[in-house]
Amino acid sequence: MQKVITIDGPSASGKGTIAARVAATLGWAYLDSGSLYRLTALHAKQNQITWTDETAIAQLAATLPVEFAGQTVLLAGNDASQTIRSEHIGMGASAVAKLPAVRSALLQRQRDFLTEQGLVADGRDMGSIVFPEAQLKIFLTASAQIRAERRAKQINVPLSGCEFEQILADIEARDEADKNRPVAPLRQLPDAKLLDTSNLGIEETVAQVLAWYEKSK
Ligand code: CDP
Ligand code: CDP
C-alpha cells in the first residue's frame, strides 16, 4: 500500500481545496495533477500548437519548464498561477488530457511528487493509474448547480444572470467531455469512497477524509 490519498471528482467539487487542507494537516506533500494538464495546455497555446496535435504536445509535456513554489506556479519563469485557472485553459486541459501520449509523458512526473511523509494527489487517474496502491481513494462530488455557485463566488460573479448561466453550462459541458472520453474518463472507482459535498462545508469535508484515513491505517 502507498502512503497516498487520492481525490478525484468533477470540476469545482472542491478537490484542490480539500486535498491541500488534508495535506497540510497531515504534513504530507500535495499534487494538483490538473495543474500539469492546464500548464501543458497553456504552454501549447503560447507556442501556437493546437490542442489536438498529440506528438507536439506530448513533447512539450515531457519537458514542461515548470516550478512549484508554494501557492505559485512558474511556467518558463513566469507566474502562471492565475492564467491556468481560466475556464478556457480548463477546456484546453481537458482536450490535451484526452491524448494518451500526453498522459504517459506526465506519468513519472506525477509519481515524483511522492515523498516519505506521504502524498495527497488530486485529479482524474490518481487512484487508477498513477497511484493504484493508494491507501485511501475519495470521489468528491456535488450538484452542478452548487459547483457553478462555488466557481462564480471564486471569480465574483453574481449567482444569477447570463454570466452565471455560462459558468453552469461550461461546468456541464466539461463534465460530459470528461465522462464520455475513452481515456481516463471521470468516474468513481469501485474502491473509492463517495463524498457528496453539496451540503457539506470545507471543514466537515476535511474531517470526513481524515476520519476515513484514520480508519484505513
Ligand atoms: O478543478 P477542475 O476539475 O476544474 O480541473 P482540474 O483538476 O484542474 O483539471 C483540468 C482538466 O484536466 C480536467 O477537466 C481533466 O480533463 C484533466 N485532468 C486529467 O485528465 N487528469 C488529471 N489527473 C487531472 C486533470
Ligand atoms: O479543485 P476543484 O475544481 O474540484 O475545486 P476547488 O477549486 O478546490 O473548489 C472550488 C470552490 O469551492 C473553492 O472556492 C472552495 O473554497 C469552494 N468549496 C466550498 O465552498 N465547499 C466545499 N465543501 C468545497 C469547496
Side-chain angles (χ1 to χ4, degrees), residues 35-62:
S35 72
L36 293 174
Y37 289 94
R38 286 172 181 269
L39 287 158
T40 302
L42 175 61
H43 202 41
K45 196 177 171 209
Q46 288 170 341
N47 286 279
Q48 280 95 40
I49 296 171
T50 55
W51 288 332
T52 46
D53 187 340
E54 182 161 10
T55 311
I57 294 184
Q59 225 158 21
L60 275 192

PDB file of all heavy atoms in Angstrom, residues 35-62:
ATOM      1  N   SER A  35      -3.210  20.825 -12.591  1.00  0.00           N
ATOM      2  CA  SER A  35      -2.389  21.987 -12.963  1.00  0.00           C
ATOM      3  C   SER A  35      -1.362  21.607 -14.027  1.00  0.00           C
ATOM      4  O   SER A  35      -1.025  22.419 -14.879  1.00  0.00           O
ATOM      5  CB  SER A  35      -1.716  22.619 -11.733  1.00  0.00           C
ATOM      6  OG  SER A  35      -0.697  21.790 -11.259  1.00  0.00           O
ATOM      7  N   LEU A  36      -0.890  20.360 -14.007  1.00  0.00           N
ATOM      8  CA  LEU A  36       0.089  19.944 -15.030  1.00  0.00           C
ATOM      9  C   LEU A  36      -0.565  19.899 -16.415  1.00  0.00           C
ATOM     10  O   LEU A  36       0.047  20.286 -17.418  1.00  0.00           O
ATOM     11  CB  LEU A  36       0.686  18.575 -14.678  1.00  0.00           C
ATOM     12  CG  LEU A  36       1.568  18.550 -13.428  1.00  0.00           C
ATOM     13  CD1 LEU A  36       1.995  17.129 -13.095  1.00  0.00           C
ATOM     14  CD2 LEU A  36       2.803  19.440 -13.612  1.00  0.00           C
ATOM     15  N   TYR A  37      -1.851  19.440 -16.465  1.00  0.00           N
ATOM     16  CA  TYR A  37      -2.563  19.438 -17.751  1.00  0.00           C
ATOM     17  C   TYR A  37      -2.896  20.871 -18.178  1.00  0.00           C
ATOM     18  O   TYR A  37      -2.830  21.214 -19.354  1.00  0.00           O
ATOM     19  CB  TYR A  37      -3.832  18.572 -17.651  1.00  0.00           C
ATOM     20  CG  TYR A  37      -3.473  17.110 -17.570  1.00  0.00           C
ATOM     21  CD1 TYR A  37      -3.348  16.454 -16.346  1.00  0.00           C
ATOM     22  CD2 TYR A  37      -3.187  16.379 -18.728  1.00  0.00           C
ATOM     23  CE1 TYR A  37      -2.980  15.123 -16.269  1.00  0.00           C
ATOM     24  CE2 TYR A  37      -2.818  15.049 -18.663  1.00  0.00           C
ATOM     25  CZ  TYR A  37      -2.713  14.425 -17.430  1.00  0.00           C
ATOM     26  OH  TYR A  37      -2.328  13.115 -17.365  1.00  0.00           O
ATOM     27  N   ARG A  38      -3.244  21.697 -17.199  1.00  0.00           N
ATOM     28  CA  ARG A  38      -3.531  23.107 -17.513  1.00  0.00           C
ATOM     29  C   ARG A  38      -2.267  23.805 -18.028  1.00  0.00           C
ATOM     30  O   ARG A  38      -2.308  24.567 -18.989  1.00  0.00           O
ATOM     31  CB  ARG A  38      -4.048  23.823 -16.263  1.00  0.00           C
ATOM     32  CG  ARG A  38      -5.468  23.448 -15.895  1.00  0.00           C
ATOM     33  CD  ARG A  38      -5.881  24.020 -14.556  1.00  0.00           C
ATOM     34  NE  ARG A  38      -7.241  23.637 -14.209  1.00  0.00           N
ATOM     35  CZ  ARG A  38      -8.335  24.349 -14.522  1.00  0.00           C
ATOM     36  NH1 ARG A  38      -8.216  25.496 -15.149  1.00  0.00           N
ATOM     37  NH2 ARG A  38      -9.531  23.923 -14.193  1.00  0.00           N
ATOM     38  N   LEU A  39      -1.124  23.540 -17.378  1.00  0.00           N
ATOM     39  CA  LEU A  39       0.137  24.159 -17.800  1.00  0.00           C
ATOM     40  C   LEU A  39       0.536  23.686 -19.189  1.00  0.00           C
ATOM     41  O   LEU A  39       1.044  24.459 -20.004  1.00  0.00           O
ATOM     42  CB  LEU A  39       1.244  23.818 -16.790  1.00  0.00           C
ATOM     43  CG  LEU A  39       1.119  24.572 -15.454  1.00  0.00           C
ATOM     44  CD1 LEU A  39       1.854  23.831 -14.343  1.00  0.00           C
ATOM     45  CD2 LEU A  39       1.655  26.001 -15.589  1.00  0.00           C
ATOM     46  N   THR A  40       0.270  22.414 -19.467  1.00  0.00           N
ATOM     47  CA  THR A  40       0.578  21.884 -20.799  1.00  0.00           C
ATOM     48  C   THR A  40      -0.271  22.596 -21.851  1.00  0.00           C
ATOM     49  O   THR A  40       0.238  23.008 -22.905  1.00  0.00           O
ATOM     50  CB  THR A  40       0.320  20.358 -20.839  1.00  0.00           C
ATOM     51  OG1 THR A  40       1.125  19.744 -19.833  1.00  0.00           O
ATOM     52  CG2 THR A  40       0.659  19.769 -22.187  1.00  0.00           C
ATOM     53  N   ALA A  41      -1.563  22.784 -21.541  1.00  0.00           N
ATOM     54  CA  ALA A  41      -2.462  23.470 -22.492  1.00  0.00           C
ATOM     55  C   ALA A  41      -2.014  24.912 -22.709  1.00  0.00           C
ATOM     56  O   ALA A  41      -1.974  25.409 -23.843  1.00  0.00           O
ATOM     57  CB  ALA A  41      -3.894  23.430 -21.971  1.00  0.00           C
ATOM     58  N   LEU A  42      -1.648  25.584 -21.615  1.00  0.00           N
ATOM     59  CA  LEU A  42      -1.210  26.982 -21.733  1.00  0.00           C
ATOM     60  C   LEU A  42       0.090  27.083 -22.534  1.00  0.00           C
ATOM     61  O   LEU A  42       0.231  27.940 -23.417  1.00  0.00           O
ATOM     62  CB  LEU A  42      -1.011  27.577 -20.329  1.00  0.00           C
ATOM     63  CG  LEU A  42      -0.446  29.002 -20.268  1.00  0.00           C
ATOM     64  CD1 LEU A  42      -1.376  29.998 -20.961  1.00  0.00           C
ATOM     65  CD2 LEU A  42      -0.217  29.445 -18.814  1.00  0.00           C
ATOM     66  N   HIS A  43       1.019  26.174 -22.226  1.00  0.00           N
ATOM     67  CA  HIS A  43       2.316  26.202 -22.915  1.00  0.00           C
ATOM     68  C   HIS A  43       2.129  25.950 -24.418  1.00  0.00           C
ATOM     69  O   HIS A  43       2.771  26.590 -25.245  1.00  0.00           O
ATOM     70  CB  HIS A  43       3.226  25.139 -22.290  1.00  0.00           C
ATOM     71  CG  HIS A  43       4.673  25.396 -22.507  1.00  0.00           C
ATOM     72  ND1 HIS A  43       5.238  26.645 -22.427  1.00  0.00           N
ATOM     73  CD2 HIS A  43       5.694  24.556 -22.803  1.00  0.00           C
ATOM     74  CE1 HIS A  43       6.539  26.560 -22.676  1.00  0.00           C
ATOM     75  NE2 HIS A  43       6.838  25.308 -22.907  1.00  0.00           N
ATOM     76  N   ALA A  44       1.205  25.047 -24.754  1.00  0.00           N
ATOM     77  CA  ALA A  44       0.923  24.772 -26.169  1.00  0.00           C
ATOM     78  C   ALA A  44       0.376  26.030 -26.834  1.00  0.00           C
ATOM     79  O   ALA A  44       0.814  26.418 -27.923  1.00  0.00           O
ATOM     80  CB  ALA A  44      -0.088  23.633 -26.281  1.00  0.00           C
ATOM     81  N   LYS A  45      -0.562  26.680 -26.140  1.00  0.00           N
ATOM     82  CA  LYS A  45      -1.157  27.898 -26.688  1.00  0.00           C
ATOM     83  C   LYS A  45      -0.084  28.961 -26.930  1.00  0.00           C
ATOM     84  O   LYS A  45      -0.042  29.597 -27.993  1.00  0.00           O
ATOM     85  CB  LYS A  45      -2.214  28.412 -25.708  1.00  0.00           C
ATOM     86  CG  LYS A  45      -3.122  29.410 -26.327  1.00  0.00           C
ATOM     87  CD  LYS A  45      -4.201  29.882 -25.404  1.00  0.00           C
ATOM     88  CE  LYS A  45      -4.883  31.044 -26.086  1.00  0.00           C
ATOM     89  NZ  LYS A  45      -5.449  31.991 -25.170  1.00  0.00           N
ATOM     90  N   GLN A  46       0.796  29.116 -25.954  1.00  0.00           N
ATOM     91  CA  GLN A  46       1.857  30.126 -26.092  1.00  0.00           C
ATOM     92  C   GLN A  46       2.809  29.807 -27.250  1.00  0.00           C
ATOM     93  O   GLN A  46       3.454  30.678 -27.794  1.00  0.00           O
ATOM     94  CB  GLN A  46       2.656  30.212 -24.784  1.00  0.00           C
ATOM     95  CG  GLN A  46       1.862  30.871 -23.661  1.00  0.00           C
ATOM     96  CD  GLN A  46       2.535  30.758 -22.308  1.00  0.00           C
ATOM     97  OE1 GLN A  46       3.416  29.907 -22.112  1.00  0.00           O
ATOM     98  NE2 GLN A  46       2.124  31.580 -21.357  1.00  0.00           N
ATOM     99  N   ASN A  47       2.891  28.515 -27.581  1.00  0.00           N
ATOM    100  CA  ASN A  47       3.774  28.106 -28.679  1.00  0.00           C
ATOM    101  C   ASN A  47       3.022  27.869 -29.985  1.00  0.00           C
ATOM    102  O   ASN A  47       3.532  27.211 -30.899  1.00  0.00           O
ATOM    103  CB  ASN A  47       4.545  26.841 -28.283  1.00  0.00           C
ATOM    104  CG  ASN A  47       5.635  27.147 -27.281  1.00  0.00           C
ATOM    105  OD1 ASN A  47       6.723  27.590 -27.637  1.00  0.00           O
ATOM    106  ND2 ASN A  47       5.329  26.967 -26.007  1.00  0.00           N
ATOM    107  N   GLN A  48       1.765  28.382 -30.031  1.00  0.00           N
ATOM    108  CA  GLN A  48       0.911  28.243 -31.221  1.00  0.00           C
ATOM    109  C   GLN A  48       0.747  26.796 -31.687  1.00  0.00           C
ATOM    110  O   GLN A  48       0.721  26.501 -32.883  1.00  0.00           O
ATOM    111  CB  GLN A  48       1.458  29.091 -32.396  1.00  0.00           C
ATOM    112  CG  GLN A  48       1.104  30.555 -32.326  1.00  0.00           C
ATOM    113  CD  GLN A  48       2.206  31.383 -31.679  1.00  0.00           C
ATOM    114  OE1 GLN A  48       3.369  31.133 -31.932  1.00  0.00           O
ATOM    115  NE2 GLN A  48       1.849  32.331 -30.846  1.00  0.00           N
ATOM    116  N   ILE A  49       0.645  25.891 -30.713  1.00  0.00           N
ATOM    117  CA  ILE A  49       0.397  24.489 -31.056  1.00  0.00           C
ATOM    118  C   ILE A  49      -1.064  24.184 -30.717  1.00  0.00           C
ATOM    119  O   ILE A  49      -1.526  24.525 -29.619  1.00  0.00           O
ATOM    120  CB  ILE A  49       1.331  23.555 -30.242  1.00  0.00           C
ATOM    121  CG1 ILE A  49       2.785  23.824 -30.640  1.00  0.00           C
ATOM    122  CG2 ILE A  49       0.972  22.096 -30.442  1.00  0.00           C
ATOM    123  CD1 ILE A  49       3.802  23.127 -29.765  1.00  0.00           C
ATOM    124  N   THR A  50      -1.787  23.565 -31.662  1.00  0.00           N
ATOM    125  CA  THR A  50      -3.207  23.293 -31.392  1.00  0.00           C
ATOM    126  C   THR A  50      -3.329  22.155 -30.380  1.00  0.00           C
ATOM    127  O   THR A  50      -2.474  21.272 -30.321  1.00  0.00           O
ATOM    128  CB  THR A  50      -3.986  22.905 -32.677  1.00  0.00           C
ATOM    129  OG1 THR A  50      -3.306  21.803 -33.257  1.00  0.00           O
ATOM    130  CG2 THR A  50      -4.062  24.042 -33.658  1.00  0.00           C
ATOM    131  N   TRP A  51      -4.443  22.191 -29.623  1.00  0.00           N
ATOM    132  CA  TRP A  51      -4.619  21.233 -28.529  1.00  0.00           C
ATOM    133  C   TRP A  51      -4.902  19.804 -28.998  1.00  0.00           C
ATOM    134  O   TRP A  51      -5.144  18.922 -28.190  1.00  0.00           O
ATOM    135  CB  TRP A  51      -5.738  21.734 -27.596  1.00  0.00           C
ATOM    136  CG  TRP A  51      -5.319  22.925 -26.781  1.00  0.00           C
ATOM    137  CD1 TRP A  51      -4.054  23.250 -26.387  1.00  0.00           C
ATOM    138  CD2 TRP A  51      -6.173  23.948 -26.240  1.00  0.00           C
ATOM    139  NE1 TRP A  51      -4.055  24.408 -25.642  1.00  0.00           N
ATOM    140  CE2 TRP A  51      -5.345  24.859 -25.533  1.00  0.00           C
ATOM    141  CE3 TRP A  51      -7.552  24.183 -26.277  1.00  0.00           C
ATOM    142  CZ2 TRP A  51      -5.851  25.979 -24.872  1.00  0.00           C
ATOM    143  CZ3 TRP A  51      -8.063  25.296 -25.618  1.00  0.00           C
ATOM    144  CH2 TRP A  51      -7.211  26.184 -24.930  1.00  0.00           C
ATOM    145  N   THR A  52      -4.887  19.596 -30.320  1.00  0.00           N
ATOM    146  CA  THR A  52      -5.117  18.237 -30.827  1.00  0.00           C
ATOM    147  C   THR A  52      -3.836  17.614 -31.395  1.00  0.00           C
ATOM    148  O   THR A  52      -3.833  16.460 -31.795  1.00  0.00           O
ATOM    149  CB  THR A  52      -6.194  18.261 -31.938  1.00  0.00           C
ATOM    150  OG1 THR A  52      -5.873  19.342 -32.826  1.00  0.00           O
ATOM    151  CG2 THR A  52      -7.581  18.460 -31.364  1.00  0.00           C
ATOM    152  N   ASP A  53      -2.756  18.375 -31.425  1.00  0.00           N
ATOM    153  CA  ASP A  53      -1.505  17.892 -32.022  1.00  0.00           C
ATOM    154  C   ASP A  53      -0.748  17.021 -31.004  1.00  0.00           C
ATOM    155  O   ASP A  53       0.123  17.485 -30.264  1.00  0.00           O
ATOM    156  CB  ASP A  53      -0.655  19.103 -32.448  1.00  0.00           C
ATOM    157  CG  ASP A  53       0.577  18.696 -33.235  1.00  0.00           C
ATOM    158  OD1 ASP A  53       0.999  17.522 -33.137  1.00  0.00           O
ATOM    159  OD2 ASP A  53       1.129  19.557 -33.945  1.00  0.00           O
ATOM    160  N   GLU A  54      -1.112  15.727 -30.994  1.00  0.00           N
ATOM    161  CA  GLU A  54      -0.640  14.821 -29.933  1.00  0.00           C
ATOM    162  C   GLU A  54       0.887  14.755 -29.813  1.00  0.00           C
ATOM    163  O   GLU A  54       1.435  14.872 -28.710  1.00  0.00           O
ATOM    164  CB  GLU A  54      -1.209  13.413 -30.171  1.00  0.00           C
ATOM    165  CG  GLU A  54      -0.797  12.441 -29.071  1.00  0.00           C
ATOM    166  CD  GLU A  54      -1.688  11.208 -29.011  1.00  0.00           C
ATOM    167  OE1 GLU A  54      -2.509  11.002 -29.931  1.00  0.00           O
ATOM    168  OE2 GLU A  54      -1.554  10.451 -28.036  1.00  0.00           O
ATOM    169  N   THR A  55       1.577  14.592 -30.927  1.00  0.00           N
ATOM    170  CA  THR A  55       3.035  14.431 -30.868  1.00  0.00           C
ATOM    171  C   THR A  55       3.703  15.677 -30.310  1.00  0.00           C
ATOM    172  O   THR A  55       4.537  15.601 -29.395  1.00  0.00           O
ATOM    173  CB  THR A  55       3.580  14.148 -32.293  1.00  0.00           C
ATOM    174  OG1 THR A  55       2.782  13.113 -32.849  1.00  0.00           O
ATOM    175  CG2 THR A  55       5.026  13.718 -32.256  1.00  0.00           C
ATOM    176  N   ALA A  56       3.324  16.827 -30.835  1.00  0.00           N
ATOM    177  CA  ALA A  56       3.953  18.078 -30.394  1.00  0.00           C
ATOM    178  C   ALA A  56       3.641  18.355 -28.926  1.00  0.00           C
ATOM    179  O   ALA A  56       4.522  18.779 -28.151  1.00  0.00           O
ATOM    180  CB  ALA A  56       3.470  19.232 -31.268  1.00  0.00           C
ATOM    181  N   ILE A  57       2.411  18.083 -28.521  1.00  0.00           N
ATOM    182  CA  ILE A  57       2.020  18.392 -27.139  1.00  0.00           C
ATOM    183  C   ILE A  57       2.680  17.418 -26.159  1.00  0.00           C
ATOM    184  O   ILE A  57       3.106  17.811 -25.070  1.00  0.00           O
ATOM    185  CB  ILE A  57       0.494  18.422 -26.995  1.00  0.00           C
ATOM    186  CG1 ILE A  57      -0.024  19.601 -27.826  1.00  0.00           C
ATOM    187  CG2 ILE A  57       0.091  18.616 -25.540  1.00  0.00           C
ATOM    188  CD1 ILE A  57      -1.459  19.847 -27.749  1.00  0.00           C
ATOM    189  N   ALA A  58       2.798  16.155 -26.554  1.00  0.00           N
ATOM    190  CA  ALA A  58       3.476  15.177 -25.670  1.00  0.00           C
ATOM    191  C   ALA A  58       4.920  15.599 -25.449  1.00  0.00           C
ATOM    192  O   ALA A  58       5.464  15.468 -24.345  1.00  0.00           O
ATOM    193  CB  ALA A  58       3.401  13.784 -26.277  1.00  0.00           C
ATOM    194  N   GLN A  59       5.528  16.121 -26.495  1.00  0.00           N
ATOM    195  CA  GLN A  59       6.915  16.590 -26.383  1.00  0.00           C
ATOM    196  C   GLN A  59       7.012  17.764 -25.404  1.00  0.00           C
ATOM    197  O   GLN A  59       7.897  17.820 -24.565  1.00  0.00           O
ATOM    198  CB  GLN A  59       7.392  17.048 -27.753  1.00  0.00           C
ATOM    199  CG  GLN A  59       8.782  16.550 -28.092  1.00  0.00           C
ATOM    200  CD  GLN A  59       8.974  16.561 -29.601  1.00  0.00           C
ATOM    201  OE1 GLN A  59       8.268  17.278 -30.319  1.00  0.00           O
ATOM    202  NE2 GLN A  59       9.924  15.776 -30.078  1.00  0.00           N
ATOM    203  N   LEU A  60       6.047  18.690 -25.542  1.00  0.00           N
ATOM    204  CA  LEU A  60       6.006  19.838 -24.613  1.00  0.00           C
ATOM    205  C   LEU A  60       5.828  19.365 -23.176  1.00  0.00           C
ATOM    206  O   LEU A  60       6.488  19.850 -22.256  1.00  0.00           O
ATOM    207  CB  LEU A  60       4.812  20.743 -24.940  1.00  0.00           C
ATOM    208  CG  LEU A  60       4.894  21.807 -25.989  1.00  0.00           C
ATOM    209  CD1 LEU A  60       3.673  22.717 -25.886  1.00  0.00           C
ATOM    210  CD2 LEU A  60       6.149  22.651 -25.815  1.00  0.00           C
ATOM    211  N   ALA A  61       4.907  18.395 -22.990  1.00  0.00           N
ATOM    212  CA  ALA A  61       4.588  17.902 -21.649  1.00  0.00           C
ATOM    213  C   ALA A  61       5.810  17.250 -21.006  1.00  0.00           C
ATOM    214  O   ALA A  61       6.045  17.393 -19.806  1.00  0.00           O
ATOM    215  CB  ALA A  61       3.424  16.917 -21.710  1.00  0.00           C
ATOM    216  N   ALA A  62       6.594  16.550 -21.805  1.00  0.00           N
ATOM    217  CA  ALA A  62       7.764  15.837 -21.279  1.00  0.00           C
ATOM    218  C   ALA A  62       8.826  16.802 -20.779  1.00  0.00           C
ATOM    219  O   ALA A  62       9.638  16.453 -19.913  1.00  0.00           O
ATOM    220  CB  ALA A  62       8.333  14.926 -22.353  1.00  0.00           C
TER     221      ALA A  62
END
